[in-house]
Amino acid sequence: MASSNPTDIGKAGLAGWRETVADRVADPLASRTSLAEDQVRALVGAVFFVLSVIYVAGTIKRAADAARG
């Protein structure tokens, strides 16, 4: 079983335009904080992941409410 660190897991959520956003903000934020560029990318990926989960959960809730009438 391969071991993954939190940075790898966070960056796994980056694809397409989300990856472009992470790439654009990584250097400026890393230079202003104590985080490395990879850590900033991972944080952006984690934020997008959480927002996606919230969106999906809300959609499921609305669908369930509509099905109940």
Side-chain angles (χ1 to χ4, degrees):
M1 184 165 154
S3 108
S4 296
N5 63 41
T7 303
D8 292 338
I9 294 168
K11 289 192 307 184
L14 297 176
W17 67 269
R18 292 168 189 88
E19 186 172 17
T20 302
V21 169
D23 288 344
R24 288 190 181 210
V25 301
D27 184 43
L29 286 178
S31 67
R32 290 174 176 79
T33 65
S34 61
L35 298 173
E37 285 185 36
D38 277 353
Q39 291 172 318
V40 173
R41 284 187 190 89
L43 183 60
V44 171
V47 167
F48 280 128
F49 177 77
V50 169
L51 291 173
S52 296
V53 169
I54 291 169
Y55 175 78
V56 170
T59 301
I60 291 170
K61 182 182 181 317
R62 287 189 302 278
D65 290 345
R68 280 190 226 121

